[in-house]
């Protein structure tokens, strides 16, 4: 049976000691929200979803009503304002998604982290603000489109560090076009030394066969500035030459697209890529839970592939379709 396809393309442990868990030797996620508890336009518990101006239906959604193909690491339910899908009446709109009150009084160092896909189209703006107990402070403004999902980290220590009644809000302001998707939202009190591997930024599917640079985004989630770091990686279980990074990475900063090496991909080749960090400033990282990422990457499909049977290219139709949707094709493809 043959199918010819010509289409392209998603503790709590009580410890008696003087300081609570916000000391320099502990970390705390003050708020960690993946929106899995939200539904349609109902936000997570004690959050608010408000139309400031526009029609009543101009609200953030959690059911992806426009069926946007939102890529990893934004998975499952996300928060999305999709003006192009449900606010396309030609009128301006402003909508705010606001967190519950959060207690940041235990640390003077606070970071906000999230993944976003921002597509403003005709002049929409995304604004991130924090409430310091008295006033809303703008800490970020987005006007340029992102390459699908990208990582954001913002140091808000000067605004809500040490504040017991802080809040954060995402404000969409637009005119019937574009969308803004948010996932993996975190408010974080950092450790002293904590390097983080945020993403494998390249190659991103779809891409054609050939030699491609392998790039990563790294960040500093610790209080101490990082100046040296080892970036280790392997291809299909084979260790590659580690990359020795040097620079100046203070708390809350992000370095994007660090080229750690290259690999020659063939058409439709499945490559398991694993990357991990070690030895920040020549020391042991105090948090090893954010040091490693592993993913399967495929070059664009081209030619003939088997599904099922003995030694197949793809175990079943689900795998084949998943790869097809994400990797795309660079020439006619035949599945047997």
């Amino acid at each position: 049976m043959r199918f010819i396809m010509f289409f392209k393309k998603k503790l709590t442990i009580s410890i008696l000691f003087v300081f609570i868990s916000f000391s320099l030797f502990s970390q705390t996620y003050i708020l960690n929200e993946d929106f899995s508890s939200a539904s349609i336009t109902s936000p997570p518990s004690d959050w608010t979803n408000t139309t400031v101006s526009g029609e009543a239906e101009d609200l953030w959604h959690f059911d992806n009503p426009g069926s946007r193909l939102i890529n990893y690491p934004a998975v499952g339910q996300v928060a999305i304002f999709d003006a192009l899908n449900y606010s396309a009446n030609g009128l301006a709109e402003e909508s705010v998604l606001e967190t519950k009150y959060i207690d940041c009084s235990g640390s003077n160092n606070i970071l906000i982290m999230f993944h976003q896909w921002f597509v403003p189209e005709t002049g929409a703006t995304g604004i991130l603000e924090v409430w310091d107990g008295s006033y809303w402070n703008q800490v970020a403004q987005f006007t340029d489109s992102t390459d699908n999902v990208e990582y954001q980290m913002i140091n808000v220590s000067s605004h809500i560090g040490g504040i017991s009644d802080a809040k954060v809000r995402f404000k969409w302001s637009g005119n019937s076009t574009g969308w803004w998707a948010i996932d993996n939202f975190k408010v974080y009190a950092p450790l002293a030394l904590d390097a983080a591997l945020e993403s494998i930024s390249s190659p991103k599917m779809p891409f054609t066969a050939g030699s491609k640079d392998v790039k990563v985004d790294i960040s500093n989630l610790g209080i101490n500035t990082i100046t040296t770091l080892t970036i280790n990686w392997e291809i299909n279980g084979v260790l590659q030459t580690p990359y020795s990074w040097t620079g100046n990475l203070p708390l809350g900063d992000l370095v994007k697209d660090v080229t750690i090496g290259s690999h020659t991909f063939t058409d439709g080749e499945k490559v398991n890529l694993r990357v991990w960090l070690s030895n920040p400033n020549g020391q042991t990282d105090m948090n090893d839970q954010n040091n490693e990422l592993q993913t399967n990457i495929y070059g664009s499909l081209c030619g003939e592939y088997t599904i099922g049977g003995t030694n197949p290219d793809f175990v079943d139709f689900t795998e084949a379709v998943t790869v097809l949707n994400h990797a795309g094709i660079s020439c006619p493809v035949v599945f047997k």
Side-chain angles (χ1 to χ4, degrees):
M1 179 168 56
R2 292 160 64 89
F3 297 84
I4 302 178
M5 303 188 181
F6 295 89
F7 52 94
K8 280 190 174 182
K9 233 248 92 32
K10 171 181 173 43
L11 131 147
T12 304
I13 297 180
S14 296
I15 304 175
L16 297 176
F17 59 116
V18 176
F19 295 104
I20 62 175
S21 61
F22 287 103
S23 74
L24 293 182
F25 300 98
S26 63
Q27 62 179 354
T28 300
Y29 284 101
I30 302 171
L31 184 60
N32 190 344
E33 182 57 65
D34 64 1
F35 303 107
S36 59
S37 66
S39 63
I40 311 179
T41 58
S42 297
S45 178
D46 295 327
W47 288 50
T48 59
N49 185 12
T50 308
T51 300
V52 179
S53 62
E55 302 296 322
E57 62 269 21
D58 292 338
L59 291 167
W60 289 76
H61 278 244
F62 307 94
D63 56 349
N64 192 10
S67 299
R68 306 298 176 191
L69 183 58
I70 305 173
N71 290 333
Y72 178 86
V75 296
Q77 292 187 175
V78 303
I80 184 169
F81 190 93
D82 193 340
L84 191 60
N85 176 259
Y86 52 79
S87 186
N89 55 10
L91 302 176
E93 72 276 336
E94 185 172 282
S95 183
V96 170
L97 178 64
E98 184 176 309
T99 72
K100 60 186 177 181
Y101 282 105
I102 52 178
D103 185 359
C104 301
S105 61
S107 177
N108 291 323
N109 299 285
I110 304 293
L111 303 176
I112 290 175
M113 300 170 283
F114 57 94
H115 290 94
Q116 69 168 0
W117 186 18
F118 184 66
V119 181
E121 294 202 346
T122 56
T125 302
I127 295 174
L128 180 67
E129 297 178 322
V130 296
W131 174 257
D132 64 7
S134 300
Y135 304 100
W136 284 106
N137 304 270
Q138 181 175 310
V139 294
Q141 177 173 298
F142 307 101
T143 56
D144 297 329
S145 292
T146 63
D147 183 13
N148 204 283
V149 177
E150 73 169 19
Y151 175 78
Q152 291 288 327
M153 180 171 61
I154 301 164
N155 189 341
V156 293
S157 303
S158 62
H159 297 292
I160 60 175
I163 301 299
S164 63
D165 57 346
K167 283 188 176 184
V168 183
R169 70 182 183 186
F170 296 89
K171 182 190 294 183
W172 165 276
S173 180
N175 191 0
S176 302
T177 61
W179 62 85
W180 190 12
I182 304 292
D183 200 14
N184 306 319
F185 173 74
K186 299 176 177 66
V187 180
Y188 180 82
L191 290 158
L193 186 61
D194 184 9
L197 178 62
E198 299 300 346
S199 68
I200 299 172
S201 58
S202 183
K204 284 187 175 180
M205 299 183 290
F207 59 89
T208 57
S211 179
K212 305 296 179 182
D213 286 340
V214 177
K215 301 180 182 182
V216 300
D217 298 342
I218 59 174
S219 68
N220 182 9
L221 302 185
I223 296 170
N224 297 340
T225 296
I226 296 174
T227 57
T228 62
L229 184 68
T230 301
I231 307 176
N232 313 275
W233 61 299
E234 63 182 27
I235 294 284
N236 296 331
V238 179
L239 185 65
Q240 309 296 303
T241 303
Y243 179 81
S244 296
W245 178 87
T246 59
N248 189 276
L249 193 59
L251 168 68
D253 271 17
L254 176 72
V255 177
K256 293 188 174 183
D257 297 328
V258 178
T259 301
I260 61 175
S262 62
H263 176 72
T264 300
F265 292 82
T266 60
D267 293 319
E269 176 195 15
K270 177 181 179 179
V271 170
N272 181 265
L273 175 60
R274 174 177 173 245
V275 184
W276 69 100
L277 308 179
S278 62
N279 301 320
N281 294 346
Q283 302 175 49
T284 300
D285 196 311
M286 299 178 72
N287 175 24
D288 61 2
Q289 300 303 303
N290 56 12
N291 291 349
E292 179 177 332
L293 291 173
Q294 186 167 347
T295 186
N296 291 324
I297 301 175
Y298 296 81
S300 293
L301 302 180
C302 179
E304 187 174 285
Y305 301 91
T306 58
I307 300 176
T310 303
N311 194 28
D313 296 300
F314 303 105
V315 174
D316 51 29
F317 279 97
T318 299
E319 182 185 13
V321 170
T322 298
V323 174
L324 186 64
N325 284 338
H326 289 85
I329 64 174
S330 57
C331 76
V333 170
V334 175
F335 285 141
K336 288 186 177 181

